[in-house]
Amino acid sequence: MPSWLQNQMQRAFLEKNRYQIKLLNQCWFFYREKHCS
């Protein structure tokens, strides 16, 4: 996972920002799909 994404995730978890966590998870999912296939 890229460091910028990890930082965003940590901030979202600290703020208990469910919407942002969901958004970042989707981001990461698409990112992984693109780079792994």
Side-chain angles (χ1 to χ4, degrees):
M1 192 182 285
S3 57
W4 62 268
L5 193 56
Q6 282 180 317
N7 292 337
Q8 292 286 309
M9 278 293 230
Q10 282 175 337
R11 192 180 298 152
F13 276 114
L14 285 173
E15 295 173 359
K16 292 179 174 59
N17 190 341
R18 287 223 184 89
Y19 175 74
Q20 182 132 14
I21 291 168
K22 212 181 284 183
L23 210 67
L24 289 166
N25 275 335
Q26 284 183 326
C27 228
W28 174 233
F29 181 76
F30 288 125
Y31 179 88
R32 232 179 33 201
E33 289 265 300
K34 246 191 272 182
H35 287 267
C36 289
S37 59

